[in-house]
Amino acid sequence: MTDHVVCRLDEIPAGASKRVSINGRAIAIFNVDGTLSAIGDRCPHEGASLCLGRVTGVVRADGPGNYRLEREGELVRCPWHGWEFDLKTGKSYCDPTRLKVRTFDVQVKPGETLAEGPYTIDVFDVAVRDEYVVVSL
Ligand code: FES
């Protein structure tokens, strides 16, 4: 598994999403209250960008007029026809055994752990020999 740095964290503030491309694969990253999730950015129904979908939860009802929102922030609703997918598992809410989108590991890492350092410059030996300047590589 190879890590890919895709953006700065402040490009995806809480409540936002961002579409990125890694080796030609579109991936939707969501920031739900500081928790990041990454899923394939193509709805298996007709190909809509899930990155443009609304993050939501599940409405449950015990009876007429008695409903509540559960699992808030755990699902994304496709912007075209409303299919919903779990942001952690990628499974479809209505048909979890047959329909899913791929999920990806996503982490936040400090910049200093991503770059090798300390940086050095190339240093070459230089000598003067009988009026000629010679650089050794
Ligand atoms: S394209 Fe996503 S539900 Fe139709």
Side-chain angles (χ1 to χ4, degrees), residues 62-136:
D62 298 328
N66 187 14
Y67 59 89
R68 63 194 174 282
L69 183 63
E70 295 180 352
R71 300 182 56 199
E72 193 167 356
E74 294 184 24
L75 303 172
V76 61
R77 183 177 300 136
C78 178
W80 285 3
H81 311 105
W83 289 17
E84 295 169 330
F85 299 90
D86 187 301
L87 287 171
K88 291 297 173 207
T89 66
K91 292 181 178 179
S92 160
Y93 181 72
C94 65
D95 193 354
T97 57
R98 284 192 333 119
L99 295 171
K100 69 177 294 189
V101 291
R102 186 163 174 194
T103 59
F104 301 90
D105 289 335
V106 59
Q107 303 169 44
V108 176
K109 293 185 177 181
E112 73 253 13
T113 66
L114 300 174
E116 294 180 21
Y119 293 106
T120 60
I121 59 172
D122 292 335
V123 178
F124 305 100
D125 292 332
V126 178
V128 177
R129 296 182 193 145
D130 297 330
E131 308 295 326
Y132 298 97
V133 176
V134 178
V135 176
S136 302

Side-chain angles (χ1 to χ4, degrees), residues 6 15-16 20-21 23 30-31 36-37 40 60 71 73 93 120 128 134:
V6 294
V20 301
S21 179
N23 297 332
F30 296 86
N31 182 340
L36 299 181
S37 301
R60 296 205 192 276
R71 300 182 56 199
Y93 181 72
T120 60
V128 177
V134 178

